[in-house]
Amino acid sequence: MCRRALWLLCAGLLFSASLGCYQCFVDVEESLRLCWGHILTEYNVRNVDACFQMLDRIFNNNQSVIEAGRVGKGYDQQLKEILDAEILSVVEEFSNQLNNDSVYEERLQTAADNFIAAASKLPRVSGCVPPCGVQSEGAVYNCITCQFDSCEFPLDCPVTEMNVTQYSSSRMWCQVPFQLPRDLEVIWRFAEKVKTQQVDQFKEVTVGVDRLYSIPSTRLQNQGTYQCEIFSGQRSIVRLYYYLAVTPQVVAGHTELQETFDLSLLPGGRLLPAPGGPPPQPPLLPSPLLLAACLTAVLLLLFLSLGTLYFLTVPERESDCEEQAHGDEGLAS
Amino acid sequence: MSRLLFAAAWCVCLLPSLLCGNLLCFYRPLTEKEKAFQPTLTECPPNELCFTADGRYGNHSALSAQGCVAAGDCSRVLSTRFKGTAYATRYACCDWSYCNSCPGAAAASLSITVTLTTVALMGGDLWSF
């Protein structure tokens, strides 16, 4: 029973070569060369199977090695170069020689440690952020599948619900929690009254680079689903959805506003007396004495003006008479 | 004559076990079948046999492996993950050196034994008649 369990464990390790970076970057031929001289000291046999099991344990099933291999796009070639260099040095060292499994263990562990140290210095990325969007920038190398995770989530994001009161402002942002390309185009669309993600029900509203959709004063007809689609080049990256539910404004408030508006239209700008208030006062008129004083002042000013005008015109008349007399004397001579 | 044939039949089955040395088997790690490379030899510890393994995805035979395996587990079918995909892996075992050089190694061993036994039985009947 124990032997069977042990064998199953070994078999699992033997056939778990689908995990880890080693299988992605190191050729089988190189591994066979590496393991050719492996001696299983317990039975004193040259056993290649046990060597491959050791490779799986040290590289493929080593979580530190796997984590060190999670690099960003474009750095997988450097990852391969690092691992190839480590393995190649061991291959050359053990080429055509017989070595005990303890020697293999020590040497391979050193190679793994060197790989971890070097690979960990390569740039990291944030990785895939669920639940939606094509996230090419966040792809991480997957040592299980030997390719970058494509982050191929659905284009359509879940619908976000928003509740606003009539006549209040509404804002919707077209933002995602992952890195986006620089060349973006944003299209806002609207499906009136319904909560939906069916593309054919939407009508295009705006096209541009504006990732904010703002409604200064929300009306009842603004209720519905808003879709924001982000493009890069000709390729759609993500579609966000907002369902805007508009709550009607209360009637009492509307009535008060209407009454205030009606009051402003009263003739003469007068306001209706408040109930229980004092009786309306008659319009105020100036006293008779004040009126007499005003009239006197006005008449005095008028006479002064006339007098001034008279005295200004007298010298002109006298000068005209003298000129006429001189003319008559000239004619007589 | 029949006894000689019987002895030959059993020798095919038991002779590898009677030898003092361990089995020598071909080794190939679990890889895609279309990958071609020269397999290397491996020496099995005691109580292990040579095997060839066939990894299947549905009806498609996609992977293969060769090496040594414990005798008691030759008939098992394991679920193996290769590059993120699960495969059903079946073993075929044999017990003489270099016998796992082709997928039909175990079948060949069985067919040889059956043939020799049949011939022996037929020979015995003829002599009796």
Side-chain angles (χ1 to χ4, degrees), chain A residues 65-297:
Chain A
V65 172
I66 294 173
E67 288 298 321
R70 295 178 61 83
V71 296
K73 206 159 194 178
Y75 294 97
D76 50 323
Q77 185 60 32
Q78 295 185 39
L79 207 63
K80 173 178 168 54
E81 290 170 359
I82 293 170
L83 190 56
D84 276 346
E86 292 299 328
I87 297 301
L88 186 59
S89 65
V90 182
V91 170
E92 292 176 348
E93 187 177 333
F94 288 173
S95 180
N96 296 320
Q97 294 182 29
L98 300 176
N99 288 288
N100 291 337
D101 47 5
S102 58
V103 176
Y104 270 83
E105 177 81 27
E106 183 179 353
R107 187 61 184 89
L108 289 175
Q109 190 61 57
T110 301
D113 294 339
N114 292 341
F115 170 79
I116 293 169
S120 298
K121 297 176 182 176
L122 297 177
R124 307 282 138 171
V125 292
S126 59
C128 303
V129 184
C132 54
V134 179
Q135 308 170 27
S136 58
E137 299 294 331
V140 175
Y141 193 77
N142 187 331
C143 291
I144 294 176
T145 59
C146 297
Q147 56 188 352
F148 282 94
D149 288 334
S150 61
C151 300
E152 291 286 346
F153 296 120
L155 273 181
D156 291 329
C157 298
V159 179
T160 302
E161 295 202 8
M162 297 175 61
N163 294 295
V164 298
T165 308
Q166 191 179 5
Y167 307 120
S168 64
S169 63
S170 306
R171 285 188 163 192
M172 288 165 275
W173 284 94
C174 191
Q175 284 187 336
V176 290
F178 53 88
Q179 190 178 351
L180 291 168
R182 294 184 178 181
D183 57 328
L184 293 182
E185 186 180 49
V186 180
I187 298 179
W188 284 95
R189 300 186 180 94
F190 176 56
E192 189 174 355
K193 303 298 181 186
V194 295
K195 181 180 179 181
T196 182
Q197 285 181 300
Q198 294 184 25
V199 179
D200 58 343
Q201 295 195 32
F202 288 88
K203 293 183 178 179
E204 199 169 276
V205 178
T206 62
V207 178
V209 295
D210 197 354
R211 295 166 68 178
L212 168 64
Y213 191 89
S214 178
I215 305 174
S217 179
T218 309
R219 307 290 181 172
L220 292 176
Q221 56 265 32
N222 292 131
Q223 177 163 302
T225 306
Y226 293 80
Q227 181 205 76
C228 160
E229 187 167 10
I230 300 178
F231 286 88
S232 175
Q234 300 297 326
R235 188 183 184 192
S236 178
I237 294 177
V238 67
R239 288 197 284 255
L240 287 83
Y241 293 86
Y242 295 94
Y243 175 70
L244 187 65
V246 182
T247 305
Q249 185 81 332
V250 292
V251 178
H254 176 73
T255 303
E256 290 177 4
L257 288 175
Q258 188 63 46
E259 289 177 354
T260 304
F261 178 74
D262 293 340
L263 287 177
S264 65
L265 297 179
L266 288 177
R270 290 181 293 109
L271 299 177
L272 292 177
Q281 298 293 331
L284 298 176
L285 295 175
S287 64
L289 291 177
L290 183 59
L291 286 175
C294 290
L295 288 173
T296 303

Side-chain angles (χ1 to χ4, degrees), chain A residues 3-5 7-8 11-12 14-19 23-24 26-29 31-33 35-36 40 43-53 143-147, chain B residues 22 24 27-31 35-48 51 53 65-70 72-73 76 78 80-85 89 91:
Chain A
R3 191 178 70 174
R4 176 168 295 191
W7 183 88
L8 287 175
L14 174 64
F15 291 110
S16 65
S18 59
L19 303 177
Q23 54 146 0
C24 304
V26 181
D27 295 334
V28 174
E29 288 85 351
S31 302
L32 290 171
R33 284 181 56 199
C35 292
W36 180 86
L40 199 59
Y43 303 103
N44 195 29
V45 294
R46 188 180 66 83
N47 185 261
V48 180
D49 309 60
C51 180
F52 269 79
Q53 293 165 25
C143 291
I144 294 176
T145 59
C146 297
Q147 56 188 352
Chain B
N22 297 312
L24 290 175
Y27 179 80
R28 172 189 172 116
L30 188 70
T31 48
K35 277 196 173 182
F37 57 90
Q38 188 68 26
T40 189
L41 286 175
T42 184
E43 188 176 354
C44 298
N47 302 319
E48 289 194 3
F51 80 89
Q66 296 163 297
C68 304
V69 73
D73 299 288
R76 298 182 72 91
L78 293 182
T80 306
R81 295 195 73 86
F82 183 79
K83 294 188 178 180
T85 305
T89 307
Y91 300 93

Side-chain angles (χ1 to χ4, degrees), chain B residues 80-120:
Chain B
T80 306
R81 295 195 73 86
F82 183 79
K83 294 188 178 180
T85 305
Y87 295 85
T89 307
R90 185 183 299 272
Y91 300 93
C93 299
C94 53
D95 58 1
W96 68 89
S97 294
Y98 316 112
C99 62
N100 66 336
S101 60
C102 57
S109 172
L110 181 60
S111 65
I112 291 173
T113 303
V114 171
T115 301
L116 291 175
T117 303
T118 304
V119 171

Side-chain angles (χ1 to χ4, degrees), chain B residues 2-17:
Chain B
S2 60
R3 293 182 179 178
L4 183 60
L5 291 175
F6 262 112
W10 283 107
C11 281
V12 171
C13 293
L14 301 177
L15 186 59
S17 305

